Amino acid sequence: NVFSLQESSLTKYLYSGYMGVESICYYLILRGCLQDITATVKIMTLRRHRIIRNIKTDTKEDTMAAHEFMKFKNWVVCGTISRPDKYAYRILTALKKQGYNAEGYHPIPEVDPAAYHDFKDLPVVPDVLDLVISPTLGLDVVKAAYGAGIKRVMAQPGARSEAIQQWCTDHKMEYVEACALVELNNLDQ
């Protein structure tokens, strides 16, 4: 059960944020606690200030919406795009390899000088904003994207928050919680 996960050796990884939701789900599958990674599950994870949140994995509905997002060819990936060890870099590279028109964005110039820092500087208005950044920064990023005319947000694991989702809903932005790398892989099948 999920409670035993709290007492396991994974506790230090949960505290540090080292393990992502997918890693925890795979662990639960291996332990026989979870039958299907795509099912909606509640996973205890300790966040900053030790607030426990419920995290939802991709449901069938989210996967369908994410699949629809993949039809759009102009993307902006928000995160650290200049470091190969970061998921934003991997996602941006994979999108370009699949023929998408994709650019990188980071709200803090000092963190990633290679990225765009203002949505208005992008060569085209992106169809989709892919959030691969801390939810604390993510809400301001979504607000800036909305101001620049971006209408769709895909939130990667670790970049999601109820505040971002609610803001998107309130402002009629399409929002989906999914992994772009998984969705790109599904296109190949």
Side-chain angles (χ1 to χ4, degrees):
N1 65 30
V2 176
F3 182 73
S4 67
L5 180 66
Q6 183 179 17
E7 299 174 346
S8 76
S9 62
L10 294 177
T11 303
K12 65 180 176 181
Y13 297 115
L14 290 172
Y15 273 106
S16 68
Y18 179 76
M19 290 187 70
V21 173
E22 286 83 3
S23 299
I24 295 167
C25 288
Y26 285 121
Y27 174 81
L28 291 172
I29 288 172
L30 292 173
R31 299 261 329 243
C33 302
L34 183 63
Q35 298 301 315
D36 184 359
I37 193 74
T38 60
T40 300
V41 295
K42 290 182 179 179
I43 299 173
M44 289 176 62
T45 140
L46 303 170
R47 294 285 189 210
R48 215 177 335 212
H49 308 294
R50 297 187 182 169
I51 294 170
I52 298 175
R53 293 183 50 219
N54 291 329
I55 295 188
K56 188 176 79 163
T57 60
D58 301 331
T59 62
K60 185 174 182 182
E61 293 79 24
D62 283 342
T63 303
M64 290 302 293
H67 177 73
E68 294 297 317
F69 273 43
M70 302 313 294
K71 293 178 181 177
F72 296 96
K73 296 299 181 185
N74 294 314
W75 285 60
V76 60
V77 178
C78 176
T80 307
I81 57 136
S82 60
R83 289 186 39 202
D85 62 318
K86 296 292 189 178
Y87 275 101
Y89 172 90
R90 295 176 190 174
I91 293 167
L92 181 63
T93 303
L95 285 166
K96 287 182 176 185
K97 187 176 179 182
Q98 291 280 345
Y100 286 81
N101 177 26
E103 300 291 344
Y105 171 89
H106 200 287
I108 305 170
E110 297 79 25
V111 172
D112 200 338
Y116 285 94
H117 308 293
D118 189 331
F119 289 113
K120 294 175 182 161
D121 293 337
L122 293 167
V124 297
V125 175
D127 300 310
V128 179
L129 165 64
D130 190 22
L131 279 181
V132 197
I133 197 164
S134 159
T136 348
L137 296 173
L139 184 57
D140 288 334
V141 169
V142 168
K143 290 176 181 179
Y146 177 79
I150 300 171
K151 297 176 176 33
R152 289 166 205 85
V153 176
M154 179 179 284
Q156 301 293 318
R160 304 167 182 174
S161 79
E162 290 177 23
I164 293 171
Q165 183 176 12
Q166 188 61 52
W167 199 92
C168 289
T169 301
D170 292 346
H171 291 84
K172 308 287 189 259
M173 291 180 83
E174 293 180 51
Y175 176 87
V176 65
E177 294 180 346
C179 176
L181 294 175
V182 170
E183 295 305 320
L184 286 169
N185 187 50
N186 288 341
L187 292 177
D188 292 337
Q189 298 175 7

